[in-house]
Amino acid sequence: MLDESPKSATGYLALVDGTIYASPTEAPIAGGVVLIQDEKIAAVARRTQVQVPSTAQVLDCSGGTITAGFWNNHVHFFERKWANAAEIPAAELSRQIQDMVTRYGFTSVFDLSSMWENTRRLRERIELGELPGPTIRTTGEGLIPPGAVPSEAVLGVLGVMNFPAPEIADASQATAAARKLLEKGVDGIKLFASSPRSTPLPESAIRAAVYEAHKAGKPVFVHPNSGADVLTAVRAGVDIVAHTTPYSGDWDRSILTTMQERKVALIPTLKIWLEFMRHDRMSAQEKAAKAETGQLRAWVDAGGTVLFGTDVSYINYDPSDEYALMAEAGMSFRQILASLTTAPAERFGDSKRGRIAPGLQADLVVLKGDPARNIRALASVQQTVRAGRIIYRASD
Ligand SMILES: [Zn+2]
């Protein structure tokens, strides 16, 4: 059962008797209540301290855990299933969104390269209330080095739409391409630093795109393939490193120090690399796992900001392996929760979201179990609530 129109008033909704993590730093409230009025949080406290109006719709969350809505900060709406998003029947589009996004508790996503016009229409249909879905931010088409687009055959196997991405070879092309996207209204700029099929982007081109994005107040993301790519991009001013680089070994001090000095954020995407490597020898897979978790561990030990992201698109949608790998890299439940909630809200300047507090937007997740005991419980969602409306409800 899904509420059909996110736009209309919802009255009161009360999530009762769950363990509430209002934020990653506060003590949990056992047997608490989150009271929602229309699209906002009205109260969060112990059961005895909140007056639940008799007209409220009540969700029994006993045995479960309540947190702020999750952000997946690295997704792509570029699989063939999203093509012609304006024409797909709302019911089918809704099932696709649920399958990839809302059933895992994501109420906000950042799409880091897809067809701008198509993703814009998808977002518009959600915002108009045609179907339930997350808040979508998007960079539109990512900027790539010349010749970096995979062949039609490879795209076909990956299941990805063939859409033209702006190719940039130098600073003036980067400036023009970034301006064009920013004028259309994208929420950030994505750069692919290098590709096995081309020479890497020159630092001056990255710098030029960063300049345009920052002038418009928008963040810049980079897809690196090596530690050297990370260093070049961070020196050129990018804000967010959208992957670890498991094929290039440990990140040395100079990389980590530069990342720290520039206060960048890291999206680890640990699971996708191992999924790509599933046909390789086990020793190679183990080496990559060790490298990527080592990079994340070093970044966390350095006090760096982590934003949760899986690069979900043509990979399996379930994020539970990502959570397990982040824990393996030494991140605590609370650190992982921060990467899903407060860290992205803060990084993207969204003061209405990220925590459970009166007055904030009612974006919430009800989990079936206790992620403080088993981190995979973060992927086991009972209900997802966006702006006070239930946008996903598990069938069991
Ligand atoms: Zn990606």
Side-chain angles (χ1 to χ4, degrees), residues 24 132 157 169 382:
V157 170
Q382 187 67 49

Side-chain angles (χ1 to χ4, degrees), residues 340-395:
L340 284 160
T341 57
T342 46
E346 205 172 296
R347 176 63 51 151
F348 301 125
D350 191 339
S351 56
K352 289 188 304 184
R353 297 184 179 83
R355 293 175 298 118
I356 305 178
L360 296 198
Q361 166 143 316
D363 285 9
L364 299 148
V365 187
V366 183
L367 302 168
K368 292 175 186 173
D370 178 3
R373 293 163 65 134
N374 171 14
I375 201 67
R376 289 177 183 272
L378 285 169
S380 189
V381 172
Q382 187 67 49
Q383 280 102 3
T384 306
V385 177
R386 179 189 165 200
R389 303 195 74 91
I390 300 168
I391 59 169
Y392 169 74
R393 190 194 296 261
S395 47

Side-chain angles (χ1 to χ4, degrees), residues 247-265:
Y247 312 134
S248 70
D250 292 343
W251 284 347
D252 63 30
R253 263 294 122 210
S254 67
I255 298 175
L256 289 162
T257 308
T258 309
M259 287 171 71
Q260 266 177 295
E261 282 168 0
R262 304 299 179 107
K263 296 189 165 48
V264 300

